[in-house]
Amino acid sequence: MNPPLGHLESLDDLTLLRHHLAGDLDAFEVFLRRYQAPLYGFLVRFTASCSLADDVFQETFLKVHKAAATLHD
């Protein structure tokens, strides 16, 4: 089990991504954890492959990381 990351867990997604862009590595971890279980579960069911689900999951969050700077309120 991952340790809690304090006040970051109560922040909304946009604020977490802003913290991430400012260099706070923990903020992106909190964002990722927030969606990890439901998204990964969906991807496993959708693709019928844990390996493919892993690849799609990683690609998804890589795209979120790269696109974070373009987000608006």
Side-chain angles (χ1 to χ4, degrees), residues 18-32:
R18 284 190 178 132
H19 280 263
H20 166 62
L21 290 172
D24 185 345
L25 299 177
D26 289 340
F28 197 75
E29 182 177 343
V30 169
F31 180 81
L32 187 138

Side-chain angles (χ1 to χ4, degrees), residues 36-54 56-57:
Q36 185 173 11
L39 179 57
Y40 184 76
F42 168 78
L43 291 171
V44 168
R45 289 187 304 278
F46 186 77
T47 64
S49 166
C50 289
S51 178
L52 185 54
D54 286 338
V56 173
F57 183 85

Side-chain angles (χ1 to χ4, degrees), residues 5-31 34 65 68-69 71:
L5 293 170
H7 75 286
L8 291 173
E9 293 184 3
S10 65
L11 299 177
D12 64 79
D13 293 345
L14 186 58
T15 304
L16 283 172
L17 291 173
R18 284 190 178 132
H19 280 263
H20 166 62
L21 290 172
D24 185 345
L25 299 177
D26 289 340
F28 197 75
E29 182 177 343
V30 169
F31 180 81
R34 187 172 288 171
H65 166 72
L71 296 175

